[in-house]
Amino acid sequence: MIPVSLHILIASKAVFGCLLVSLILVMSVIDVREMILPNSLNWLLAAGGAGQAILLGLPRPVDAVLGAAFAFAVLSTIASLFRRVRGIDGLGLGDQKFSAAAGLWIGWSAIPSMLLVASCSALLFAAIRSTQGGGFGRTSRLPFGPFLGIGTIACWLAAVAVRT
């Protein structure tokens, strides 16, 4: 027989998982349509991640805060370097905020994996789009939020699977 506390933990993870996926789905649709990740949704994503860390200890609250800071710092550095090299913005502030909110969900140690999944999925999308005559060139814009979302969900699922 499974203890009641384990049932509650599994149900809590399921609720947080539904919240995470729902928010990321809404944010991705908005980013694809309008090329913006609204602050209000970034705040909701951050609040959900903080709540999960506090209530479930997934990740530990300290790791969650470090994840937010690390993710924001990495994407801010990339955005700054891109702007310096190319003379245009290549990564919006909403993407940086999204990554910080995601860091609260997955913790600092999963940030490299999240960014790897996000970057590879974005590159794959761009490659497929360019080979199918999608008119994808050097100056084409690509919303990065959906790909950050894919990376975040993948890392969150991996963490939940390990800790269940």
Side-chain angles (χ1 to χ4, degrees):
M1 178 166 237
I2 300 174
V4 173
S5 61
L6 184 58
H7 283 294
I8 293 171
L9 178 64
I10 292 170
S12 298
K13 288 180 180 180
V15 168
F16 277 107
C18 288
L19 175 64
L20 175 65
V21 171
S22 298
L23 282 170
I24 286 176
L25 184 60
V26 169
M27 294 172 78
S28 295
V29 168
I30 292 170
D31 200 18
V32 166
R33 288 182 179 171
E34 302 177 26
M35 295 293 290
I36 190 169
L37 290 164
N39 284 334
S40 59
L41 293 177
N42 273 322
W43 280 112
L44 278 174
L45 188 64
Q52 174 193 244
I54 292 166
L55 296 174
L56 302 181
L58 176 69
R60 292 180 313 139
V62 167
D63 293 334
V65 170
L66 290 173
F70 181 48
F72 189 82
V74 168
L75 260 67
S76 294
T77 301
I78 291 168
S80 178
L81 289 172
F82 188 90
R83 189 178 313 109
R84 220 177 261 151
V85 170
R86 296 278 315 273
I88 57 172
D89 286 332
L91 199 57
L93 187 56
D95 296 315
Q96 296 165 52
K97 293 174 190 177
F98 185 112
S99 68
L104 291 168
W105 284 88
I106 62 175
W108 69 270
S109 62
I111 297 301
S113 298
M114 183 264 290
L115 293 175
L116 179 64
V117 170
S119 299
C120 288
S121 59
L123 285 170
L124 179 62
F125 176 83
I128 290 170
R129 186 170 161 188
S130 66
T131 60
Q132 293 182 343
F136 198 76
R138 259 182 82 126
T139 58
S140 298
R141 296 178 68 197
L142 179 68
F144 195 48
F147 305 107
L148 288 171
I150 291 168
T152 301
I153 292 168
C155 290
W156 185 84
L157 287 171
V160 168
V162 168
R163 293 184 181 128
T164 298

